[in-house]
Each structure stands twice: as C-alpha cells, then as structure tokens.
Amino acid sequence: MNILLSKPHMSGREMAYIEEAFASNWIAPLGPNVNAFEAEVAAYADHPYALATSSGTAALHLALLTLGVGTGDTVFCQSLTFVASVNPIRYVGAIPVFIDSETTTWNMSPDALRKALVQAATKGKLPKAVIVVHLYGVVAKIGEIRHICREFSVPLIEDAAESLGSTWHGQMTGTIGDIGFYSFNGNKIITTSGGGMLMVPNEETRQLALKLATQAREDAPHYEHEQVGYNYRLSNVSAGIGRGQLEVIEQRVQARRRVFARYEHMFRQLGTTYQQEVPHSRANRWLTAMQLDQTDLHRDTVMERLASAGIESRPVWKPMHLQPVYRDAEYVTVDGEDVSRRLFENGICLPSGSDLTLGEQQQVIQTVLDTRSIVTEQSV
C-alpha cells in the first residue's frame, strides 16, 4: 500500500530522549524517561495519577484487577470495539456482557446500558465494572453513561486507547470515569511503538497497579510474592519516544481533525454519514470512519477499488457479539435493533494519518468518487 491508514508520525525530538536513555544506560522498564512521561501525560490530561504500561491492553488488565474483578464476575462492555477492549475481562476469569451502540457517536448506548443494568439488578447480580470505548477518538455519551453507572454504583472504566486529545466539557477522555487508559501502539495518534498509560483515581490505586505491573513483589530484601503479578511496565527507551511524541499532540489532533473535515466536505454529495460529536466535546478524529448505508456504494466495493489504487482502508470494527470467540456472550440492544451490526456492515475507515498530504488525501477522495461514478454507470 502506498497510502496507509495511520502510520507513525515522528516529531524529530524522539531521538534526543532515546540517546539520553542510552547514554545514561537506562534501557530497562524504569528510569527518568518513564517517570517524566508519566508526569507529562498526567499534566496534559490534567490528572494527577498516571502509570506507564507495556500496552493499552495491559493497562486495562490492571484496571480490572485494581477494581477487584475476578472469576465469575460480569463486566459490561461496548460491543462495537477492538477485541483488546474485551480480552482482559477473560484474563481475570470474568464474563463479558456486550452493550449495543447508538447511532450518534457509534459508542455505547445509554439506553441499552440502563436496560442491561436494570435486568442485572433484578437478578441481584450487578456487574463489577462497565467499559465504555471512545471509538476512533469520538467521545461517547459519557455524561449520561457516567450518571447511569453512578446511579447503580458500578465503576466506569474508560477505554480511551484511541482518544488521547479528545475532550468533554474541557476534560480529557480517560479521566472522566473512575479509571481510564490510553494506548500508544504504532498506529495511534502518538506512539511509543507499543505502550499504554493507566489513569487512576488516587495514589493508593496507583501503588497497587504498580505492584501488580512489576511481578507483585512484596517489600522484602528477597523476592517475596503473595499474589500473581505481571511484567507490564514500559521501557525507558519507549518512554523517550513517547515524550518526543507528546510534545506535538495538539498539532496531531488538529491535523487529523482537518483530514476528517475534508472528507466530510468532499463526500457530502454521496450521502455518507459519520460519528457525531456530542455537545461540548472535541474528537481527536484518530480515524475517519464513514457509513455508506445512505449511498448506492457497498463497503467491500469501495475497499477493493481503494486497494487497487494502493490505498489502505478497513471495515469498522466487527462487533464482539459477532466474534466466534465470544459467540456465547449475552448482548443487550434496545427494541431488538442491532445498531452495532449495521455500523459494521456499512462502515469503512479511511486513511487519516496526521502526515497525510493534501495530494494523498485527494487520491483517496477521487478514488471513492470514481467508484461512485462506475457504480452509477453500471446501474444505468
């Protein structure tokens, strides 16, 4: 592929931090860059407690552990998401219950969530946590969802893996619920190659997460272990990359928002629809995802044409309730309408990198428009 979906975009400052790590011989999963990266992400998010991890998945696993989620518990999770939002539920022996999306943001439906919580309360088995995802960097209806979770006294985990830089009423996603996390995977808005950041509510929770992330070693001169731990800390070298990336996060957000705005404007004639921003929110528009159900285009036809032009695209995430590995999981919708399935079947993600040139984006746009012309001619 000549035009990729979302590739790393270096700031030029990363090597200075990496060389500093090598010069000081701090290349292990601790060191000055790790400490500084945690402090800098915390400052950017205006949240005092952050813990750098080896991945966003590791951060979610730690979040569940710090909330005491274990074998036989249930956890409610958005169905329309990447599988990493769900797998850690199984890591701890808990049972996922999937919640359908709503059509505005494509994220968790507050109505479906309330329905599921009422059903669970009636059975006397409320979930140990709810995981809401800010899909493709677009803020969920987080105010309503947080209110519902508080009403039922259920902790809310924010999967902000894709949404660093997205805000609601000026507050950064990942800090609005009870606990949240970011991903710095290679295709995210900023990257550490692989890594994550857990945003926790207090120092006590941070210390527990830190202990679990470093093999759960007890305070003893020898290696003493009373519980199972993990090797989940970020390396000092990777943290250096993250520091250089974080310096340009606002530039990256604005670049991706401009990419989205151009697609929205140029495809207006097609009848495509997109995730909408809830009032008082800002989406980082990590990926531009659009729906084709109001057009005469089929997702797979558009993807094939893009691929033939050397342009990478991707379907919207296949919902978890449709995945073979989770075929037996409960799924809660409103009035039997499967919104997540429809969004998947008609949704396509387009190249959205912050270094996407105007010329490259125009190639993407023209290829889609040409596909429409061909489809129209064939139907005549």
Side-chain angles (χ1 to χ4, degrees), residues 3-9 187-189 252 255-260 262-263 285-288 350-357 360-361:
I3 302 177
L4 300 177
L5 202 67
S6 176
K7 65 180 188 288
H9 186 186
N187 63 357
K188 294 300 186 291
I189 194 162
R252 301 300 184 248
R256 291 188 188 241
R257 287 178 62 82
R258 287 193 296 270
V259 167
F260 167 78
R262 291 187 205 108
Y263 282 134
R285 296 294 180 184
W286 170 58
L287 288 185
T288 293
L350 298 174
S352 306
S354 50
D355 62 346
L356 189 70
T357 67
E360 289 172 333
Q361 189 172 12

Side-chain angles (χ1 to χ4, degrees), residues 20-56:
E20 193 175 290
F22 273 84
S24 61
N25 206 32
W26 282 105
I27 59 171
L30 73 167
N33 278 335
V34 175
N35 297 336
F37 189 43
E38 289 174 339
E40 289 159 5
V41 171
Y44 176 66
D46 193 22
H47 191 74
Y49 306 104
L51 183 78
T53 60
S54 56
S55 68

Side-chain angles (χ1 to χ4, degrees), residues 198-215:
L198 181 64
M199 311 301 285
V200 294
N202 50 56
E203 182 60 26
E204 180 182 3
T205 304
R206 187 185 183 281
Q207 288 301 318
L208 174 57
L210 176 60
K211 178 182 178 181
L212 293 170
T214 51
Q215 301 294 7

Side-chain angles (χ1 to χ4, degrees), residues 16-311:
Y17 294 114
I18 293 170
E19 288 170 357
E20 193 175 290
F22 273 84
S24 61
N25 206 32
W26 282 105
I27 59 171
L30 73 167
N33 278 335
V34 175
N35 297 336
F37 189 43
E38 289 174 339
E40 289 159 5
V41 171
Y44 176 66
D46 193 22
H47 191 74
Y49 306 104
L51 183 78
T53 60
S54 56
S55 68
T57 310
L60 176 54
H61 189 191
L62 292 170
L64 292 168
L65 291 169
T66 61
L67 291 173
V69 182
T71 302
D73 292 329
T74 56
V75 175
F76 290 1
C77 182
Q78 188 165 313
S79 182
L80 187 62
T81 186
F82 180 51
V83 73
S85 302
V86 181
N87 284 341
I89 299 172
R90 288 273 180 89
Y91 296 174
V92 299
I95 302 164
V97 173
F98 297 121
I99 309 298
D100 197 11
S101 290
E102 44 78 21
T103 56
T104 304
T105 70
W106 306 4
N107 290 308
M108 182 180 284
S109 163
D111 292 338
L113 174 62
R114 179 176 290 280
K115 176 182 175 180
L117 286 169
V118 168
Q119 291 175 345
T122 302
K123 297 174 185 176
K125 189 175 175 58
L126 285 168
K128 289 295 288 286
V130 169
I131 303 172
V132 62
V133 184
H134 301 293
L135 195 71
Y136 301 128
V138 175
V139 183
K141 292 186 174 180
I142 191 66
E144 295 177 55
I145 290 168
R146 183 177 66 176
H147 175 78
I148 293 167
C149 287
R150 287 178 175 176
E151 180 182 338
F152 286 85
S153 299
V154 176
L156 176 61
I157 299 173
E158 279 185 274
D159 180 340
E162 302 170 355
S163 68
L164 181 66
S166 300
T167 61
W168 177 74
H169 286 274
Q171 189 170 357
M172 197 71 61
T173 56
T175 71
I176 302 165
D178 295 286
I179 192 166
F181 67 93
Y182 307 117
S183 169
F184 305 119
N185 192 31
N187 63 357
K188 294 300 186 291
I189 194 162
I190 66 169
T191 183
T192 58
S193 178
M197 191 72 72
L198 181 64
M199 311 301 285
V200 294
N202 50 56
E203 182 60 26
E204 180 182 3
T205 304
R206 187 185 183 281
Q207 288 301 318
L208 174 57
L210 176 60
K211 178 182 178 181
L212 293 170
T214 51
Q215 301 294 7
R217 182 183 177 184
E218 299 298 327
D219 186 14
H222 55 277
Y223 283 86
E224 184 82 9
H225 305 276
E226 297 179 2
Q227 60 193 128
V228 173
Y230 306 88
N231 182 18
Y232 277 172
R233 285 291 266 161
L234 186 67
S235 85
N236 198 56
V237 176
S238 295
I241 299 173
R243 294 185 69 191
Q245 289 274 282
L246 191 63
E247 291 182 5
V248 294
I249 177 63
E250 282 299 310
Q251 296 172 38
R252 301 300 184 248
V253 171
Q254 293 306 320
R256 291 188 188 241
R257 287 178 62 82
R258 287 193 296 270
V259 167
F260 167 78
R262 291 187 205 108
Y263 282 134
E264 185 182 40
H265 176 73
M266 294 302 295
F267 292 147
R268 193 163 294 167
Q269 60 182 293
L270 300 181
T272 52
T273 57
Y274 307 84
Q275 295 173 274
Q276 299 174 41
E277 293 175 312
V278 296
H280 310 293
S281 75
R282 178 186 77 165
N284 72 6
R285 296 294 180 184
W286 170 58
L287 288 185
T288 293
M290 66 183 185
Q291 286 288 303
L292 301 172
D293 57 334
Q294 302 298 315
T295 76
D296 52 4
L297 293 171
H298 189 276
R299 180 196 69 190
D300 294 345
T301 302
V302 175
M303 289 183 62
E304 288 167 7
R305 290 283 300 177
L306 288 168
S308 66
I311 300 167

